[in-house]
Amino acid sequence: MEAGGRPGGGMTEVKLAVLGGSGAGKSALAVRFLTRRFIGEYASNAGTNACFLWMPCYLLECIYTKHLCLDGRQIHLEIYDPCSQPQRGKLSLTDELHWADGFIIVYDISDRASFAFAKALLYRIRESHIGACKKMVESSLFLVGNKQDLCHMREVGWDEGQKLAMDNKCQFCELSAAEHCQEVMAMFTKVLRNITSNFKVKEKRRPSGSKSMAKLINNVFGKRRKSV
Ligand code: GDP
Ligand code: MG
């Protein structure tokens, strides 16, 4: 049994959900981390995953998997990047909340609506984790103000992002998936480090990875709907 309480031949399994409004740059950030490339020439939402033809990892719907080594520990990483998320209406997130070990909440600094959506997501995540170990929830949440290269079109101030993060006791950074490769790598690495250090202090138990992944995909794509 690994430190995270998960079976798997010395491999620690980490599930990370990248959430945020449509067009905020979720896929661009995931692609940057996984491939170190910025792929600007692709449509967001449904067409986004075409870019993964280039990726050195497996693509299964909107969950990308990758093996990596962090601090000498072998990690089997799954990144959930929803193809589309409604910015309006009821925020369910039930499946994502059960599935993920950590969350990167992304907004676009040049789009105030995406900031409002990030706020709602943070609220929903924290609300759902009431009763869970507070420190663990906080350290596995990262708020990211993306598209810093568009600061001439800025609609959301750095201080507003910082305040939202402080209010929700999560980590915060502004960066640009388009221009800041190192910052993107560092942000993901920090999230992974926080999550794996949580595994050391608390053993997590969950259904088998493939089963829970299939359930998430089915629900996201509407094959099986669950009311909240
Ligand atoms: P998603 O819907 O949240 O997955 O957003 P995408 O990753 O598909 O990005 C939406 C659009 O924003 C695409 O045209 C990207 O090329 C663009 N984009 C993503 N990140 C950045 C960034 O840091 N700077 C700029 N200028 N554009 C970006
Ligand atoms: Mg996308």
Side-chain angles (χ1 to χ4, degrees):
M1 189 74 80
E2 243 315 81
R6 309 198 183 163
M11 191 74 84
T12 301
E13 209 177 277
V14 178
K15 295 172 193 286
L16 191 56
V18 183
L19 304 178
S22 178
K26 301 180 294 297
S27 302
L29 284 167
V31 170
R32 237 328 170 198
F33 174 66
L34 294 166
T35 70
R36 295 182 178 250
R37 292 181 178 187
F38 176 66
I39 300 164
E41 296 305 312
Y42 63 86
S44 58
N45 298 330
T48 299
N49 292 324
C51 67
F52 286 95
L53 291 172
W54 298 358
M55 289 178 59
C57 63
Y58 299 108
L59 165 67
L60 178 60
E61 302 287 0
C62 290
I63 295 178
Y64 320 122
T65 69
K66 189 178 173 74
H67 286 165
L68 56 112
C69 184
L70 181 67
D71 304 331
R73 179 193 286 247
Q74 293 298 320
I75 293 179
H76 173 81
L77 173 64
E78 293 179 5
I79 299 182
Y80 172 59
D81 168 24
C83 291
S84 64
Q85 262 186 294
Q87 290 213 183
R88 293 187 178 81
K90 196 171 181 187
L91 256 184
S92 159
L93 279 188
T94 308
D95 298 304
E96 289 90 334
L97 290 169
H98 282 117
W99 181 83
D101 299 306
F103 300 87
I104 295 175
I105 309 295
V106 187
Y107 67 91
D108 170 353
I109 67 155
S110 67
D111 175 11
R112 181 155 288 279
S114 73
F115 185 64
F117 190 62
K119 199 174 193 169
L121 284 167
L122 279 175
Y123 182 79
R124 177 75 182 91
I125 291 168
R126 289 186 56 81
E127 178 194 43
S128 76
H129 283 83
I130 289 170
C133 174
K134 222 173 141 199
K135 198 160 177 283
M136 277 180 67
V137 178
E138 287 162 4
S139 63
S140 56
L141 262 176
F142 213 117
L143 176 67
V144 176
N146 187 36
K147 307 197 188 180
Q148 205 191 37
D149 56 298
L150 299 182
C151 58
H152 52 287
M153 294 161 64
R154 185 187 278 281
E155 289 185 3
V156 184
W158 182 91
D159 49 337
E160 290 179 89
Q162 170 74 355
K163 182 175 184 315
L164 179 60
M166 277 174 65
D167 290 348
N168 287 279
K169 299 191 176 58
C170 67
Q171 300 180 74
F172 170 68
C173 72
E174 269 193 7
L175 48 70
S176 162
E179 293 185 356
H180 300 154
C181 183
Q182 287 314 316
E183 284 85 344
V184 174
M185 302 304 290
M187 183 270 293
F188 271 90
T189 303
K190 201 167 177 184
V191 176
L192 290 177
R193 202 164 267 143
N194 287 340
I195 293 171
T196 52
S197 62
N198 281 340
F199 286 169
K200 285 181 198 156
V201 293
K202 189 182 176 192
E203 203 176 272
K204 294 185 72 177
R205 297 189 191 283
R206 62 171 72 224
S208 88
S210 55
K211 219 173 159 185
S212 57
M213 186 195 292
K215 185 168 169 274
L216 174 66
I217 291 166
N218 281 342
N219 282 307
V220 167
F221 289 93
K223 288 176 194 146
R224 194 153 28 108
R225 292 232 173 264
K226 240 173 101 179
S227 55
V228 190

